[in-house]
Every structure is written in structure tokens, then in C-alpha cells.
Amino acid sequence: MSLFVSTDFNPPEALQTTAFYFTPLNEQVVELDFTAVMSSVPQLKGIFAPKPDWPKADMTLEENRQSLAQHGAEFNEKKAFAYAILNPKKTRCLGSVYIDPGVNNEFDSEITFWLRNDSQELNNTLRLCILHWLAEHWPFERVRLISTKYQASFSL
């Protein structure tokens, strides 16, 4: 099995723009993430194919903590990379972006992102931000971009 990223690749620890702050999705942002997820349960149902029942309407903060611990472990092992999308002041989680291996040889990576219901006006800004970030800081050539509002494939 080939590696998702090379062993010497160091994933970005953060991204700061005028609209967003990306930080690894881990236990340090559990409360902010939990609020964002629970505000958007209906729209998130089914966008993550391996977990079609996520998020459960009665998910607890502890269940979210366990999920974020798993994301943190995958990040550290360079198996997948998940980021919380915060506002620039880092006081509110707006959503998340997940950078996963491509499911077949057609794509190097599949990127899934979502924004909470009350931040949908930022969807296009976020999409463009992610594409620029991928082109500048990630080792991928062909990506599939998926969100609750958008799906496309790109060569970077």
C-alpha cells in the first residue's frame, strides 16, 4: 500500500486568512466543534459515506471528544488530516475540513468540508480558500472536493 503523504511531509499546523482560521481537529477544540456540529445535524447526515448516521441528534460531548481524539491520532500518523474551521478570532467553530486519501487511483486526495447552517454565506469563500491552500501547501495533484453544497474534481 502506498503512503498517503510522504513520511517527510509536514502538514500545516494552521491557516490564518481574513475569513478563517484552520487548526487541527482534536480535543483542544471539542466544545467549539460540538456546538457547530449540533447546530447542523440535518445537513451533515450522509455527507460522510463511511458513517451515514453521523452525527446522531443525541450525540454527547464525550462522544465528540472521542471522535476528535481519533482525528488527532490520524493526523499525527499522517493517515488523514482534519481541521476545525474557526472564525479569525478563534472564538467560534464554523465547520470542518477533512483531507483523506483518495478512494481510488483517480484522486490523490478527497477533501470534504462543511459549514454550520448559519455560516453558509461563506461557502464559496471557503471553497476557494481550500483550493488555494491545497495548491500552495499540500503535495496533491488531483483532488476531489465535496461539501454539503458542492462537489467537483480538480487538478492542482
Side-chain angles (χ1 to χ4, degrees):
M1 181 177 146
S2 64
L3 296 174
F4 175 41
V5 294
S6 69
T7 55
D8 62 347
F9 174 73
N10 293 314
E13 286 295 323
L15 173 68
Q16 177 83 56
T17 73
T18 57
F20 308 109
Y21 181 80
F22 292 11
T23 188
L25 192 57
N26 57 38
E27 295 175 83
Q28 294 177 341
V29 295
V30 68
E31 291 179 12
L32 293 174
D33 177 71
F34 182 72
T35 300
V37 168
M38 297 313 289
S39 76
S40 304
V41 169
Q43 89 174 63
L44 292 173
K45 287 281 189 192
I47 70 165
F48 299 98
K51 295 184 178 185
D53 63 335
W54 183 90
K56 297 182 300 184
D58 62 349
M59 181 173 71
T60 67
L61 181 63
E62 183 54 33
E63 288 172 319
N64 195 56
R65 184 181 318 280
Q66 291 170 5
S67 177
L68 297 191
Q70 178 64 36
H71 286 303
E74 291 171 347
F75 193 104
N76 292 335
E77 295 166 12
K78 298 183 181 181
K79 291 181 177 178
F81 305 95
Y83 291 84
I85 303 167
L86 306 180
N87 65 347
K89 293 181 180 182
K90 306 174 198 163
T91 58
R92 187 167 186 255
C93 183
L94 305 176
S96 300
V97 60
Y98 305 87
I99 302 170
D100 295 303
V103 294
N104 58 42
N105 290 335
E106 189 175 349
F107 304 105
D108 301 322
S109 181
E110 293 199 4
I111 291 52
T112 307
F113 68 95
W114 64 272
L115 286 168
R116 58 191 295 153
N117 286 340
D118 61 7
S119 299
Q120 289 299 304
E121 73 280 0
L122 296 171
N123 211 333
N124 193 50
T125 302
L126 177 59
R127 180 180 56 84
L128 295 173
C129 174
I130 290 170
L131 288 172
H132 178 74
W133 186 51
L134 291 169
E136 293 292 317
H137 299 284
W138 292 86
F140 309 125
E141 293 180 12
R142 298 174 324 273
V143 299
R144 181 172 180 226
L145 196 61
I146 305 162
S147 80
T148 54
K149 303 279 184 195
Y150 186 84
Q151 190 170 144
S153 302
F154 292 91
S155 293
L156 301 174

